[in-house]
Amino acid sequence: MNKPVKTYTPLLSEVLTKVNNAKTKDKKIAVLKEHDSEPLRMIIKASFDPSIEWVLPEGSVPFKANEAPEGTEHTLLSQEVRKLWHFIKGADNQTPRMKKETMFIQMLEGLHKSEAEVLCYVKDKVLHQKYKGLSDNVVKTAFGWEDNYWLPNGNLI
């Protein structure tokens, strides 16, 4: 039997909302498995893994939310996630802190409003507080991660 072809890839914020709305732990895990991707794993790891420290100030970020309708005139967090290394302590020691803060604000302003919010939650490591049931146990089970948020073979995916 052929697997159905996906015609729409949901925003990462939509996936997290589905997790939030799932009623049981098993259903939350199933949602994460269904939408499993490197970008989803990267943002969850960046929020959960205590060894990842952000070089940006905690708290609200002064940015202008992108009001463009979903699917138009904005970038996608699933693509922008590859640039997050600039904002992780020890990863980019070349770019000055003020430049990093400007880059982060520009990134947020290019994203759909809901994805910009997700990224702010990730930065402050409160993703699990904003999306009910997105717990340490749920993400480790869904992705097969060990306590260090990596697979047993040392890979993220």
Side-chain angles (χ1 to χ4, degrees):
M1 188 191 271
N2 290 339
K3 195 174 185 180
V5 177
K6 287 186 180 181
T7 56
Y8 172 74
T9 301
L11 299 175
L12 295 180
S13 57
E14 292 175 301
V15 172
L16 294 170
T17 298
K18 286 181 180 185
V19 171
N20 183 77
N21 294 342
K23 300 296 183 206
T24 66
K25 177 183 172 185
D26 287 343
K27 288 181 181 174
K28 291 174 187 304
I29 292 169
V31 169
L32 289 171
K33 285 183 174 185
E34 177 186 350
H35 298 284
D36 189 3
S37 66
E38 187 174 1
L40 179 62
R41 287 177 180 238
M42 289 172 76
I43 66 159
I44 290 175
K45 180 176 176 56
S47 184
F48 278 80
D49 188 340
S51 70
I52 294 176
E53 295 180 45
W54 293 76
V55 295
L56 301 167
E58 283 188 37
S60 63
V61 182
F63 74 99
K64 185 178 185 305
N66 187 334
E67 298 296 335
E70 180 183 321
T72 63
E73 301 300 319
H74 58 77
T75 56
L76 299 172
L77 183 53
S78 60
Q79 295 166 339
E80 294 293 301
V81 75
R82 299 217 177 274
K83 299 176 186 172
L84 295 183
W85 68 275
H86 289 287
F87 315 114
I88 304 300
K89 185 176 184 180
D92 176 4
N93 295 321
Q94 305 302 315
T95 307
R97 184 180 173 118
M98 288 298 291
K99 173 69 174 167
K100 289 180 187 184
E101 291 177 16
T102 301
M103 289 167 48
F104 191 73
I105 289 169
Q106 289 171 340
M107 183 182 291
L108 293 174
E109 290 177 346
L111 294 170
H112 183 270
K113 180 171 43 176
S114 65
E115 291 207 308
E117 289 173 358
V118 165
L119 189 49
C120 288
Y121 300 150
V122 169
K123 170 189 72 76
D124 290 337
K125 296 195 172 271
V126 296
L127 195 63
H128 65 288
Q129 294 172 12
K130 302 298 179 178
Y131 293 94
K132 181 177 64 185
L134 187 69
S135 68
D136 191 58
N137 190 359
V138 164
V139 299
K140 286 179 181 176
T141 301
F143 299 140
W145 284 342
E146 294 185 335
D147 285 340
N148 61 357
Y149 301 94
W150 289 97
L151 292 171
N153 63 7
N155 292 328
L156 181 63
I157 297 269

